[in-house]
């Protein structure tokens, strides 16, 4: 799971930086929230998840960690597609974007529980 999180993280880094370069070159910064969340919920968060599961391999084996992964990865992907559409003027995507974002939030709560449970003992 750690490997997949790190591999997906660098794909989001490429996507986020490509959009950043496009925004800088075109002087059209209107997509900056998409850029920010591709980089922060994609590259940064996925890397931190991946490195955490690397440091606590037993945590990666838990059902909660698998729930975290399988809710977060698809929901965040859908969230980024819908956020792009929203900033392209498709305002009708907003309710589904709300659902995807809430699922991302739920996955983050699952991850937080995994962190708390697996760091209970000092070692
Ligand atoms: C070559 C790489 C990058 C380029 C060319 C780039 C370009 C940009 C541009 C043009 C903006 C819009 C600025 C504005 O209108 O205020 C922006 C905003 C932002 N970028 Fe990047 N970016 C790059 C990499 C990154 C990375 C790696 C991260 C995070 C790890 C990041 C995080 C952000 C954030 C959070 C904002 C929003 C800042 C705000 O609220 O004003 N960027 N970037
Ligand atoms: C489900 C999760 C999240 C949701 C729904 C969300 C939503 C939002 C919204 C609505 C804004 C204001 C956008 C605007 O006014 O243009 C925003 C801005 C921002 N968020 Fe998030 N956020 C989430 C997670 C995160 C995380 C985990 C980070 C950092 C690791 C982050 C970093 C930022 C930054 C730096 C900004 C300012 C740049 C911008 O406006 O795009 N967000 N977020």
């Amino acid at each position: 799971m750690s490997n997949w999180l790190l591999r997906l993280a660098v794909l989001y880094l490429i996507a986020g930086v490509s959009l950043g370069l496009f925004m800088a070159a075109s002087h059209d910064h209107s997509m900056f929230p998409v850029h920010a969340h591709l980089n922060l919920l994609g590259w940064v968060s996925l890397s931190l998840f991946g490195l955490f599961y690397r440091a606590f391999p037993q945590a990666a084996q838990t059902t909660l960690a698998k729930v975290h992964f399988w809710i977060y990865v698809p929901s965040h992907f859908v969230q980024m597609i819908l956020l792009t559409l929203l900033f392209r003027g498709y305002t009708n995507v907003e309710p589904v974007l709300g659902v995807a974002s809430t699922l991302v939030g739920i996955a983050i709560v699952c991850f937080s529980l995994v962190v708390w449970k697996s760091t209970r003992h000092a070692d």
Side-chain angles (χ1 to χ4, degrees), residues 37-95:
H37 293 87
L38 278 173
N39 279 320
L40 295 173
L41 280 170
W43 159 239
V44 175
S45 299
L46 289 175
S47 296
L48 290 174
F49 300 154
L51 293 175
F52 172 81
Y53 289 125
R54 203 56 145 217
F56 293 84
Q58 69 286 12
Q61 303 303 322
T62 61
T63 307
L64 199 53
K66 291 180 174 69
V67 171
H68 161 231
F69 182 92
W70 286 108
I71 295 181
Y72 191 95
V73 172
S75 306
H76 172 242
F77 181 76
V78 170
Q79 186 191 31
M80 290 303 100
I81 303 277
L82 296 180
L83 197 57
T84 305
L85 290 173
L86 183 68
F87 280 91
R88 288 274 132 213
Y90 298 93
T91 47
N92 55 335
V93 301
E94 213 164 339

